[in-house]
Amino acid sequence: MSHPTALPRHAAGISTPEQPPAWAPAAPTIALLTALGVLMVGQMYTVLALLHPMATSLGTTPGQATWTATAFGFAYAAGFLLAGPLSDRYGSRAVITVGLAAATAATLAVSAAPNLTWAVALRSVQGLAAAAFAPSALSYVVHHIAPQRRGTALTCITSGMLAAAVVMQIGAQAVAAGLGWRAVFWLSAALMALSVLPVGRVLRPTLRQDTGGGLLQAFAAMPRLVRRPRLVTLYLSTVVLMSAFVAVYTAVAIAGPPSIAGNSSAILALRAGALPALVAVPLLSVVLQRLAAPLRAVLALALAAISVAVGSLLGGHTVSLAIALLLFVAAVAAAAPAVVETINTSAPHARGAAVALYGCSMFIGASLGPQLTGALTGLGFGGILRVVAAALVLGVLLALPALHHRRTP
């Protein structure tokens, strides 16, 4: 796809402040980045389906094994803070390529972990390496995809990242049943290694930005961003949203709805039941974008809170619970790109750093989710969901200042 104002022949391929380069073809870019989003972000969630076999193999309990998810998530959040400015400085394609190579090695290492201590440590390294992808991918979309396709691209990619929580758990459960939990990491590493070639072919290099202050100036944007109250509340609402998302799926894995506890096939079906939402939301992105991004974020968070609250009352009704979780996942899938769009609009001169902080808050929340569920196990499945619903109400309140900002001239 070309930008409507194409460059003259003599300037083709040359970027100037007055004349932006031709936009990258949207379809192959969106397909590649969405698939990589599922693979890379999915490494956070694979262990949620492997807690029992990993615990048996590593000589620990499923509750303690949740630390393999938390360690990955915190390292992933920290990695975002590095990857965003690096992407601003050196270009998204370069950072994604290096990240894929490092993540391949780290993922193979996880497969060889002899005990829980090593598994937690190696998962931290894996999380740090995998974090190179998401902020670079989102930054690439902003710099290389035409504005009229950008909202769709962001929705597809963020939906892919959310779909990873379901798709990678289903895949991990199936692979582990036949080949053992370590094979999940072997296959993931192989897919990462094979992805390097299409990244080099499909993605365009980003012209190196001359920031004057070098790499340190790219990092210096972060403190300025966190001094902006409306951005901070958006980041905090993201922490709440992702903590709730992962807490609910961890509750399905270790607390178990009463009607399906211990039934692996029923739990698999409950996980898979959310997939239609992750397909539908990108397809409806054109309709959803008729609403301003801050308003979409607030409404989606409210729907998430309501659906989890209703789900907390349906533990004995599997079909009704599946519908409630379907709505919950749809709400999360709609909220995430709306928050990204709002943040991008609020920080046009430091998008990489702003998205890095968003990703950091996203995975701080995702890291807290398993521990939240572990701490609340005594409340049972319904009790956990009621606490999650209350947290999501807080998320709605945190997102409201962005809505007010939208209304302010």
Side-chain angles (χ1 to χ4, degrees):
M1 168 179 279
S2 296
H3 190 272
T5 55
L7 292 174
R9 291 181 184 273
H10 69 274
I14 300 176
S15 175
T16 67
E18 296 77 20
Q19 292 181 311
W23 300 112
T29 301
I30 293 171
L32 175 62
L33 294 180
T34 300
L36 278 174
V38 174
L39 175 63
M40 301 302 284
V41 178
Q43 299 307 308
M44 167 75 187
Y45 304 108
T46 52
V47 295
L48 297 182
L50 304 175
L51 293 175
H52 289 282
M54 287 183 72
T56 300
S57 174
L58 300 175
T60 185
T61 66
Q64 288 297 310
T66 61
W67 281 104
T68 58
T70 298
F72 180 101
F74 279 131
Y76 199 104
F80 261 82
L81 299 180
L82 297 172
L86 287 171
S87 176
D88 279 346
R89 180 64 178 167
Y90 297 110
S92 298
R93 189 177 75 172
V95 175
I96 290 173
T97 301
V98 173
L100 280 170
T104 299
T107 304
L108 280 174
V110 173
S111 72
N115 53 47
L116 181 62
T117 301
W118 273 103
V120 170
L122 290 170
R123 283 279 289 171
S124 298
V125 176
Q126 186 195 24
L128 192 65
F133 170 75
S136 302
L138 296 174
S139 180
Y140 184 90
V141 167
V142 170
H143 285 100
H144 291 276
I145 300 296
Q148 63 268 30
R149 295 291 187 89
R150 198 170 293 157
T152 299
L154 287 173
T155 300
C156 289
I157 294 167
T158 55
S159 293
M161 293 177 187
L162 293 170
V166 180
V167 173
M168 293 299 282
Q169 284 188 70
I170 293 171
Q173 184 175 332
V175 171
L179 300 173
W181 69 267
R182 296 180 191 274
V184 174
F185 295 98
W186 301 338
L187 291 174
S188 293
L191 290 172
M192 290 174 194
L194 291 172
S195 298
V196 172
L197 181 60
V199 164
R201 288 184 176 273
V202 174
L203 301 188
R204 295 180 175 181
T206 303
L207 293 179
R208 182 169 172 169
Q209 297 183 19
D210 184 8
T211 61
L215 183 59
L216 289 179
Q217 184 166 324
F219 282 98
M222 288 185 177
R224 293 194 297 270
L225 293 173
V226 298
R227 288 196 294 267
R228 297 173 60 179
R230 289 191 177 92
L231 275 178
V232 170
T233 56
L234 277 174
Y235 292 137
L236 290 175
S237 71
T238 301
V239 171
V240 172
L241 179 69
M242 290 308 299
S243 180
F245 183 64
V246 178
V248 168
Y249 275 96
T250 305
V252 170
I254 69 174
S259 60
I260 64 172
N263 186 335
S264 60
S265 296
I267 291 175
L268 179 63
L270 195 61
R271 287 172 177 149
L275 287 175
L278 296 167
V279 174
V281 170
L283 292 176
L284 294 172
S285 62
V286 175
V287 176
L288 293 173
Q289 285 167 29
R290 294 175 184 172
L291 298 174
L295 179 58
R296 270 186 285 135
V298 170
L299 293 177
L301 280 161
L303 176 60
I306 293 169
S307 59
V308 172
V310 172
S312 71
L313 306 173
L314 300 172
H317 302 82
T318 306
V319 174
S320 299
L321 177 61
I323 294 172
L325 290 180
L326 175 72
L327 291 174
F328 169 60
V329 171
V332 175
V339 173
V340 173
E341 287 182 52
T342 305
I343 289 171
N344 271 328
T345 302
S346 302
H349 302 297
R351 286 189 173 117
V355 170
L357 286 168
Y358 163 78
C360 180
S361 61
M362 186 179 184
F363 278 88
I364 287 174
S367 303
L368 293 173
Q371 301 310 313
L372 175 63
T373 297
L376 299 174
T377 302
L379 298 178
F381 184 74
I384 294 170
L385 262 60
R386 283 188 284 275
V387 173
V388 170
L392 285 165
V393 171
L394 174 62
V396 173
L397 297 175
L398 288 168
L400 286 176
L403 184 60
H404 179 267
H405 179 63
R406 174 74 182 183
R407 292 174 177 173
T408 303

